[in-house]
């Protein structure tokens, strides 16, 4: 989804990927940012928090008519129906990130 948003073009691909991973881990309650992830990515959890919040905002307030083909594709079970995953509540995300 970020590929079609100019605001994300200035972010480094590695930081964007790391932030997406942290958001996914948080959304699915699979743990937080581990020392191993920090070592191999080069980013601390605190480095990623602002971008993680922006990504969740993008998921939460994305117009449903925009990118409908992408949403339809990733709603299929072949792609584990990831487009159907409910974004996190912004306050809950803030609370979860502040604990890590």
């Amino acid at each position: 989804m970020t590929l079609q948003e100019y605001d994300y073009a200035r972010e480094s691909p590695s930081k964007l990927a790391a932030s997406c991973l942290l958001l996914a881990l948080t959304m699915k309650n699979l743990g937080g940012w581990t020392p191993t992830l920090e070592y191999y990515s080069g980013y601390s959890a605190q480095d990623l928090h602002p971008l993680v919040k922006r990504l969740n905002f993008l998921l939460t307030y994305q117009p449903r008519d925009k990118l409908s083909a992408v949403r339809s594709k990733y709603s299929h079970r072949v792609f584990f129906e990831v487009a159907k995953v409910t974004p996190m509540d912004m306050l809950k995300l803030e609370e979860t990130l502040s604990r890590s």
Side-chain angles (χ1 to χ4, degrees), residues 69-90:
V70 173
R71 194 171 307 284
S72 175
K73 177 180 178 178
Y74 288 98
S75 292
H76 194 275
R77 68 182 183 139
V78 171
F79 296 103
F80 304 101
E81 300 177 334
V82 295
K84 294 180 180 178
V85 175
T86 306
M88 288 191 73
D89 176 73
M90 296 301 279

Side-chain angles (χ1 to χ4, degrees), residues 43-71:
Y43 298 106
S44 70
Q46 275 64 30
D47 295 338
L48 303 175
H49 287 180
L51 188 51
V52 169
K53 293 174 195 174
R54 286 179 47 216
L55 289 166
N56 192 63
F57 185 85
L58 177 67
L59 290 174
T60 303
Y61 296 104
Q62 184 69 29
R64 295 296 171 205
D65 58 333
K66 192 174 181 185
L67 304 176
S68 61
V70 173
R71 194 171 307 284

Side-chain angles (χ1 to χ4, degrees), residues 4 9 11 17 19 23 26 30 41-42 76 96:
Q4 296 187 10
E11 298 294 343
S19 297
L23 179 58
T26 306
L30 296 174
S41 72
H76 194 275
T96 304

Side-chain angles (χ1 to χ4, degrees), residues 23-37:
L23 179 58
L25 290 171
T26 306
M27 288 173 75
K28 300 300 278 180
N29 272 338
L30 296 174
W33 201 245
T34 65
T36 303
L37 289 170

